[in-house]
Amino acid sequence: MTAPKDRTPAENAQLALLLDVAGTPKPGNVDRERDLEDLRFEHFLAGAVGSGEGLRRAESGAPVGAAFERAVAGMSRQRGGNTQFGCLLLLVPLVRAAADGSLSPEGATAVAEATTVADAVEFYRAFEHVDVAVEDPPEDAAELDVRRGGDAAPALRTRELTLYDVMALSEDDGNAREWTGGFARTFDAAESMLEDDGPAPDRVARAFVDLLAEEEDTLVRTNHGPEVAAEARRRAAEARGDPEAVAELAEAFVAEGINPGTTADIACAATFVALERGMPV
Amino acid sequence: MTAPKDRTPAENAQLALLLDVAGTPKPGNVDRERDLEDLRFEHFLAGAVGSGEGLRRAESGAPVGAAFERAVAGMSRQRGGNTQFGCLLLLVPLVRAAADGSLSPEGATAVAEATTVADAVEFYRAFEHVDVAVEDPPEDAAELDVRRGGDAAPALRTRELTLYDVMALSEDDGNAREWTGGFARTFDAAESMLEDDGPAPDRVARAFVDLLAEEEDTLVRTNHGPEVAAEARRRAAEARGDPEAVAELAEAFVAEGINPGTTADIACAATFVALERGMPV
């Protein structure tokens, strides 16, 4: 009998993707109680299933870029579009660090810093699988627009840009800042979840609101501009801690089309770290 | 770039486990809108994640018993107890048949009939991972009580019982009847789902009520006796087709502790077949 003792890092990452969408209320996101018009709960379930193979490759030591590209390719095999691109961008280096026994800000940073130009090329290729909302690149960096996908490979190679370098150039993006900033918000939120109590999806939902209350969501800024992003943060800070107010905010954000997706990515990554550190399910 | 074209059979089986718990209302079951007291939505998510490795082994050609035992071992790594034992018992031979390109009543029956005594031993070992509600065995078959787990191995070997034979001896169980009856209800319900329309979880929920309306649930009979099982079937038949009545039934069954788990197992297996045959997600 082959009795497995604990979930593997890849399994915990897949479970984090599922707990992330099961937690409720998560204002502006698809959650256990809310669908968006063309993006529904089951698209996230299928995205989590499809991500599995890439996450297992990350665990087994595949290069970060290739594992990420495979995870996104699998994730995209559903009809909702982009469900978990950003989550996977954070999860892949964290899974790699966990598999190495170094799931810490330092360990994750070491994985991020060790990425290569080949990893950057795979990252760009991942954009070919799914439409991702991104800011326009600076005028002098049009050839590095992620929307070029694999066509950006020559520019990446000429400039000798690693995936870490690409992230360092994307300082306006909340996920990129996690990559280059020791995954600080991820590890902080994981500790909050571990100190919290109750069912795991409830902890995920509370951590999400806390994260949104603390810092503007960069996807909301990309889609709606800085004023709406600042206002969304303020409204989350006001509602935080009051379940009724958070539930109202969830209805309001869905109605207004405000989707704090970057905050959800960080909450998902934090869920992975919390699971690895013993959050019970 | 390694672009995966379709979900593999193991991936569709994992997605079926998730769609099964996401569909709502599924009277008496944990679903997207309902938890039971000690058995919650997230336990099913973790069960589905943990089942993955065993399902992949089934796809790769591992013996049915060993793949099932591994799937149950992984499924049981959560605090809710038995979430998906019965679903997996149906899914494993179906995944094997799908991987062989023979996902049909005949193909699945061929897999079932090809099982060996070693498969039966692994099936018994699977009961060591989790408490499963079962009927008492006949008086002359106490040594074959599944609750003995691996201790039943000598009796299985002496009597030369294959896993198919064990199923044939368990004719009171709805899942065993699928095994020995060409998975008839599974394939019928899959066709209903394919003919239905709307989001996949809604199709799953409707198929569940149809199945329950058509035949008594054997888990309800085991837990509450034949009269309650007959009455539950009758109530499902009355509510069927009326969303409001089905929602009321869902509340009533949860309040009364009526959990039609075998019907959910067949609905889950049918979801797998429907996914393999193109039900969109």
Side-chain angles (χ1 to χ4, degrees), chain B residues 11-118:
Chain B
E11 287 175 331
N12 272 331
Q14 192 176 45
L15 182 54
L17 291 169
L18 292 167
L19 291 174
D20 182 53
V21 75
T24 188
K26 282 182 58 228
N29 281 230
V30 172
D31 67 20
R32 188 170 171 187
E33 293 182 4
R34 281 163 203 84
D35 291 323
L36 304 181
E37 192 157 358
D38 297 317
L39 186 59
R40 292 192 309 272
F41 195 71
E42 61 267 28
H43 298 136
F44 287 80
L45 301 181
V49 168
S51 299
E53 175 62 25
L55 293 168
R56 288 190 292 278
R57 290 188 190 182
E59 178 181 290
S60 308
V64 166
F68 174 70
E69 193 277 337
R70 180 60 181 79
V72 170
M75 175 274 284
S76 67
R77 285 173 299 164
Q78 35 74 28
R79 300 187 175 203
N82 178 20
T83 48
Q84 291 130 329
F85 188 99
C87 302
L88 291 169
L89 183 57
L90 299 179
L91 286 173
V92 166
L94 293 170
V95 166
R96 179 72 247 135
D100 290 343
S102 62
L103 184 60
S104 63
E106 299 71 29
T109 298
V111 171
E113 289 181 344
T115 56
T116 63
V117 175

Side-chain angles (χ1 to χ4, degrees), chain A residues 1 4 6-7 11 14 31-32 34-35 41-42 49 56 69 73 77-79 128-129 199 280-281, chain B residues 1 4 6-7 11 14 31-32 34-35 41-42 49 56 69 73 77-79 128 199 280-281:
Chain A
M1 188 161 45
D6 291 306
R7 278 185 293 271
E11 287 175 330
Q14 192 176 44
D31 67 20
R32 188 171 170 187
R34 280 164 204 83
D35 292 323
F41 195 70
E42 62 267 28
V49 168
R56 288 190 291 279
E69 192 276 338
R77 284 174 300 164
Q78 36 75 29
R79 300 187 175 202
E128 297 180 10
H129 296 298
V281 175
Chain B
M1 187 162 46
D6 290 306
R7 279 185 292 272
E11 287 175 331
Q14 192 176 45
D31 67 20
R32 188 170 171 187
R34 281 163 203 84
D35 291 323
F41 195 71
E42 61 267 28
V49 168
R56 288 190 292 278
E69 193 277 337
R77 285 173 299 164
Q78 35 74 28
R79 300 187 175 203
E128 296 179 9
V281 174

Side-chain angles (χ1 to χ4, degrees), chain A residues 83-258:
Chain A
T83 48
Q84 291 131 329
F85 188 98
C87 302
L88 291 169
L89 184 58
L90 299 179
L91 285 173
V92 166
L94 293 170
V95 166
R96 179 73 248 135
D100 291 343
S102 61
L103 185 60
S104 63
E106 299 71 27
T109 298
V111 171
E113 289 180 346
T115 56
T116 64
V117 176
D119 290 316
V121 170
E122 294 288 350
F123 169 72
Y124 271 70
R125 283 182 176 153
F127 284 87
E128 297 180 10
H129 296 298
V130 67
D131 282 331
V132 180
V134 291
E135 295 275 5
D136 287 326
E139 273 187 31
D140 62 345
E143 63 182 1
L144 294 177
D145 189 336
V146 287
R147 288 165 291 199
R148 299 190 66 210
D151 292 343
L156 292 165
R157 292 196 183 103
T158 302
R159 299 190 186 200
E160 296 183 359
L161 293 174
T162 70
L163 182 48
Y164 186 89
D165 295 334
V166 170
M167 293 294 155
L169 290 170
S170 311
E171 56 187 11
D172 284 346
D173 178 74
N175 288 332
R177 282 203 296 267
E178 287 297 288
W179 260 70
T180 57
F183 296 81
R185 302 187 72 206
T186 296
F187 282 97
D188 281 355
E191 286 308 306
S192 300
M193 284 186 203
L194 288 165
E195 287 163 17
D196 200 353
D197 51 24
D202 296 350
R203 303 191 201 198
V204 174
R206 286 188 287 264
F208 171 84
V209 175
D210 286 345
L211 283 163
L212 184 57
E214 285 158 13
E215 206 165 297
E216 287 174 26
D217 187 273
T218 55
L219 180 65
V220 173
R221 196 173 57 208
T222 298
N223 287 335
H224 301 275
E227 287 173 26
V228 174
E231 180 69 4
R233 188 207 66 72
R234 194 192 57 70
R235 290 162 75 187
E238 267 185 25
R240 169 188 196 169
D242 176 349
E244 204 169 314
V246 174
E248 279 169 25
L249 195 63
E251 296 301 326
F253 276 4
V254 169
E256 295 167 39
I258 294 174

